[in-house]
Amino acid sequence: MTNTTTCGCGADHEGRKAVAVDADLKERNTNRLKRIEGQVRGLQKMVEEDRYCADILTQLSSVQEALRGVSRELMRNHLKHCATHAFRQGNEEAEAMYDELVELFHKHAR
Amino acid sequence: MTNTTTCGCGADHEGRKAVAVDADLKERNTNRLKRIEGQVRGLQKMVEEDRYCADILTQLSSVQEALRGVSRELMRNHLKHCATHAFRQGNEEAEAMYDELVELFHKHAR
Amino acid sequence: MTNTTTCGCGADHEGRKAVAVDADLKERNTNRLKRIEGQVRGLQKMVEEDRYCADILTQLSSVQEALRGVSRELMRNHLKHCATHAFRQGNEEAEAMYDELVELFHKHAR
Amino acid sequence: MTNTTTCGCGADHEGRKAVAVDADLKERNTNRLKRIEGQVRGLQKMVEEDRYCADILTQLSSVQEALRGVSRELMRNHLKHCATHAFRQGNEEAEAMYDELVELFHKHAR
């Protein structure tokens, strides 16, 4: 189920690639983001037509929720591949990963 | 500064239009949403290229923040025009508006 | 149902009192906050006993949710009494209230 | 810097203890939670005195922020000790930990 499309990564943070990305996840996220793009265009139309503010706000919430869905999948992939990789490297890489995860966690927790 | 483009509204909730929308706000929000649409396409590209998960997550946060900017402006317009209108109508309309605002507030507070 | 305990307020922002608080809301919020105080003491005990981090984190979320319940009730009271009062005063007071509400809304939307 | 007070744990999830807790973290979180308890009592007093709703809401935000500070520290400890431990166990334990972390992440991301 999870053919992974590996990539350079790890030491090489030039291009900052993921250690690995599950193929099915990649497809799901691409589809989600296309839908989200459509929703954002829908929002532009609502603003254009002076639609009722509360209706636009509700639609904005729904886009936010959809983006959280993408985050959630990415976070799982990140833990499974990138974080696991770093945690196994030992001290320095692991420490950097703790900081990064706490930072991500905190940024999204607001 | 605030030429308002009035609209049907109030009693007529068929089309669910805003009571009024400040013209400069409308332009600002249209521009923001166009930028956000571009950011969402950028996210698709990042996913396509197996970019580092944490970098995509950070970019997702930035889109979320941009959407909150739109919400913030809309909420101000909503209070200024739609809510003020309802609060002045008296009991029933005002009660419905309290519920709506508390609901919006709570939905976004998550 | 809503005996209000009025208070000085309005012009007098020295003591910064609410325009009015519904008596039943006051009782509900007092009870909620007592329960929340108990939950916070429970958290201290969990930390003391080196309880599993994820269990403490889940309990922290539940306290956060309980606090949002208090916010929600307060916001409703604020709209019903303080905001309605300001919106009826006309321009300057109303403008200040829009700013305050948008600020509160934004602060909680994180 | 990080004297750890180890504990049973790992296989034994009866008592659901942390794999390890850094001693300085434990002290910081205990102190934070005591301050938060005091803030919650302060909130009770504000409600009792019919203080201005927006002032109570602002104070509620500040308690939420303080709780996020506790979460942040706990999450770091959780990653450093419990998650690292699980990730090194191999597949089944690691998978369960991914799910748990994504769940925690999502719960706090609201």
Side-chain angles (χ1 to χ4, degrees), chain B residues 34-48:
Chain B
K34 279 182 192 161
R35 266 200 305 279
I36 290 168
E37 190 190 335
Q39 287 180 300
V40 173
R41 272 197 297 268
L43 281 166
Q44 290 169 27
K45 195 153 169 292
M46 290 179 91
V47 168
E48 185 55 39

Side-chain angles (χ1 to χ4, degrees), chain C residues 56-66 68, chain D residues 104 107-108:
Chain C
I56 310 185
L57 283 163
T58 298
Q59 185 59 16
L60 274 164
S61 277
S62 139
V63 176
Q64 304 240 13
E65 187 58 32
R68 276 193 285 273
Chain D
L104 282 173
K107 217 184 281 174
H108 285 280

Side-chain angles (χ1 to χ4, degrees), chain B residues 57-107:
Chain B
L57 284 163
T58 298
Q59 185 59 16
L60 275 165
S61 277
S62 139
V63 177
Q64 303 255 24
E65 187 58 32
L67 287 166
R68 275 193 286 274
V70 178
S71 289
R72 196 183 162 100
E73 299 254 24
L74 276 171
M75 183 50 85
R76 197 172 205 290
N77 191 78
H78 191 49
L79 292 167
K80 189 172 168 185
H81 297 294
C82 312
T84 301
H85 179 80
F87 287 6
R88 286 185 180 144
Q89 296 300 300
N91 283 350
E92 249 175 88
E93 288 215 32
E95 283 290 327
M97 182 54 79
Y98 302 143
D99 289 340
E100 187 188 281
L101 288 172
V102 170
E103 183 57 29
L104 283 173
F105 177 81
H106 192 71
K107 218 184 280 173

Side-chain angles (χ1 to χ4, degrees), chain A:
Chain A
M1 180 171 61
T2 56
N3 303 316
T4 59
T5 60
T6 23
C7 52
C9 177
D12 168 31
H13 273 234
E14 272 306 294
R16 296 268 286 177
K17 296 276 187 177
V19 171
V21 181
D22 294 340
D24 54 346
L25 165 98
K26 188 169 168 172
E27 194 187 332
R28 270 201 308 279
N29 271 352
T30 298
N31 291 340
R32 280 162 194 254
L33 285 166
K34 279 182 194 161
R35 263 199 307 277
I36 290 168
E37 189 191 334
Q39 286 180 301
V40 173
R41 272 198 296 270
L43 281 166
Q44 290 168 28
K45 194 154 171 291
M46 290 179 91
V47 167
E48 185 53 40
E49 295 172 353
D50 293 330
R51 290 284 300 279
Y52 187 56
C53 312
D55 290 345
I56 308 183
L57 284 163
T58 297
Q59 185 59 14
L60 275 164
S61 277
S62 141
V63 176
Q64 301 262 24
E65 188 57 33
L67 288 166
R68 275 193 287 272
V70 178
S71 290
R72 197 184 162 99
E73 298 254 26
L74 277 170
M75 181 52 83
R76 198 171 204 291
N77 192 77
H78 191 49
L79 292 166
K80 188 171 170 187
H81 298 294
C82 312
T84 301
H85 178 79
F87 287 6
R88 285 184 182 146
Q89 296 300 299
N91 283 352
E92 250 175 87
E93 288 215 34
E95 283 290 326
M97 183 54 81
Y98 302 143
D99 289 339
E100 186 186 284
L101 287 172
V102 170
E103 182 59 27
L104 283 173
F105 177 81
H106 192 70
K107 215 184 281 173
H108 285 281
R110 29 171 64 220

